[in-house]
Amino acid sequence: SLVEGLNRTGFLKHCSYKGSECSDPSYWNAFTTPKYGNCFTFNSGMVADKEVKTVTVTGSANGLVLEMFLDQTNYMYNKLSRKAGARITIHDPYFLPMPDEYGMNLAPNSASSMAVQLNEMKRMAAPYTSNCVKDWGNTNFTVPKEINYSLSLCQRLCHQSAVASNCSCYWPELYIPSFSDTSELFTFDQRPCDIKRTDNDDRICYEETIRQFDIRNRICPCDVACHERHFQSSVSVATWPSNQYWKLLALDVGTYTPEDINSGGPKGNEIKKTIQQDFTRVEVYYQTLNIQSIVQTE
């Protein structure tokens, strides 16, 4: 919710990592996206002097558990979103999170379980046919050294660079999140484009620029990465909070009296409905520590 600004605790009701509390701000880094507003990443490897946490035991008791307050009453003012819930993406600590491309929705009144396995792809650079890219030095883009190369990020930078050059603005939907003072690198030091759909020179310029890529008149200097790591998730969903647990959760919220919660009737039913609509839960854990690797060889 944009109402909370950068206050992570307004969104995160409860956090545990390997059974220990993890709501402390030192575990988290904030960024924003035009579509999802304020976002937070856990265990990022792109922040100086912060050690990346590791897991050596499988199962939900040894993973990350989050309970989130969705605050539908104040959720995304001015109807910027027609959906309620949260968005989660599991990504390598050294890659920028891209919730649009790789995210999964978490619905209200649900508990999602994400069992994860790491998949790894290693390719050989030129002159081999993959023509893979080792790092950002093989492209025309300036990217902080702590951010690993990825094809999707390269393509987004390529399109944003073209829009900035042609239209003297950056397109908000191509915005790339940043954890540091490097946002001007990803906006090319330009103003945001006007995105309204009618009587809009910025949109006309943007659409013409993208059309040049669509018809292959312009090509991005982006190829697959030589080393890729992806997290494959098996997802299951259950109802949460249950008919038995919602009262305990309502008491824990602290805004309702025990008398109102247990009163039944219209007042009790309204509190139950609000609690069910305003909370979601997710568990993220390794299903196996085996790494599925695909390695290109001579």
Side-chain angles (χ1 to χ4, degrees), residues 125 130-136 138-139 149 221-227:
S130 68
N131 198 33
C132 66
V133 178
K134 289 184 178 180
D135 53 46
W136 291 105
N138 299 112
T139 69
Y149 173 86
C222 304
D223 282 297
V224 292
C226 292
H227 187 196

Side-chain angles (χ1 to χ4, degrees), residues 15-57:
C15 171
S16 69
Y17 173 66
K18 295 198 287 190
S20 299
E21 175 68 25
C22 60
S23 296
D24 188 274
S26 63
Y27 285 90
W28 298 87
N29 295 96
F31 64 97
T32 60
T33 71
K35 186 172 183 179
Y36 298 108
N38 291 321
C39 302
F40 307 91
T41 187
F42 178 82
N43 199 30
S44 173
M46 295 183 291
V47 180
D49 303 323
K50 183 175 283 191
E51 182 182 357
V52 172
K53 298 169 180 60
T54 58
V55 173
T56 56
V57 184

Side-chain angles (χ1 to χ4, degrees), residues 12-252:
L12 193 61
K13 175 70 173 60
H14 170 73
C15 171
S16 69
Y17 173 66
K18 295 198 287 190
S20 299
E21 175 68 25
C22 60
S23 296
D24 188 274
S26 63
Y27 285 90
W28 298 87
N29 295 96
F31 64 97
T32 60
T33 71
K35 186 172 183 179
Y36 298 108
N38 291 321
C39 302
F40 307 91
T41 187
F42 178 82
N43 199 30
S44 173
M46 295 183 291
V47 180
D49 303 323
K50 183 175 283 191
E51 182 182 357
V52 172
K53 298 169 180 60
T54 58
V55 173
T56 56
V57 184
T58 59
S60 58
N62 300 288
L64 181 68
V65 179
L66 305 175
E67 295 177 6
M68 287 156 282
F69 175 51
L70 304 178
D71 192 16
Q72 286 203 49
T73 301
N74 297 304
Y75 185 77
M76 297 292 278
Y77 279 137
N78 299 322
K79 301 179 180 178
L80 292 174
S81 175
R82 297 181 181 181
K83 295 183 291 187
R87 183 84 168 174
I88 187 170
T89 179
I90 313 300
H91 62 93
D92 187 286
Y94 299 98
F95 284 85
L96 280 177
M98 302 186 76
D100 267 3
E101 287 86 343
Y102 301 111
M104 187 192 86
N105 292 328
L106 303 175
N109 197 198
S110 69
S112 302
S113 178
M114 303 180 70
V116 173
Q117 179 179 10
L118 176 59
N119 295 337
E120 190 174 52
M121 171 78 76
K122 294 182 179 180
R123 303 179 179 91
M124 299 182 71
Y128 295 94
T129 54
S130 68
N131 198 33
C132 66
V133 178
K134 289 184 178 180
D135 53 46
W136 291 105
N138 299 112
T139 69
N140 301 324
F141 305 116
T142 301
V143 176
K145 62 181 181 180
E146 63 269 17
I147 300 175
N148 285 356
Y149 173 86
S150 72
L151 175 60
S152 57
L153 180 56
C154 181
Q155 288 175 325
R156 184 172 287 204
L157 275 171
C158 173
H159 287 81
Q160 189 72 281
S161 173
V163 172
S165 176
N166 289 357
C167 310
S168 298
C169 61
Y170 73 88
W171 195 250
E173 292 177 0
L174 294 175
Y175 180 78
I176 297 167
S178 174
F179 299 129
S180 59
D181 251 348
T182 57
S183 59
E184 70 277 0
L185 293 177
F186 299 149
T187 60
F188 299 91
D189 204 21
Q190 298 287 352
R191 63 176 176 84
C193 298
D194 185 348
I195 62 173
K196 67 181 181 182
R197 298 188 178 277
T198 57
D199 300 323
N200 182 359
D201 291 338
D202 284 354
R203 177 173 283 276
I204 292 170
C205 180
Y206 162 76
E207 290 177 350
E208 177 56 31
T209 301
I210 296 302
R211 192 180 78 85
Q212 293 302 308
F213 287 103
D214 293 342
I215 63 177
R216 310 294 289 177
N217 280 355
R218 298 184 69 149
I219 298 175
C220 292
C222 304
D223 282 297
V224 292
C226 292
H227 187 196
E228 288 185 280
R229 286 155 54 93
H230 294 290
F231 293 89
Q232 180 178 337
S233 302
S234 300
V235 182
S236 58
V237 181
T239 299
W240 183 88
S242 66
N243 286 336
Q244 287 72 35
Y245 176 64
W246 75 266
K247 291 183 179 181
L248 291 175
L249 182 58
L251 282 171
D252 194 37

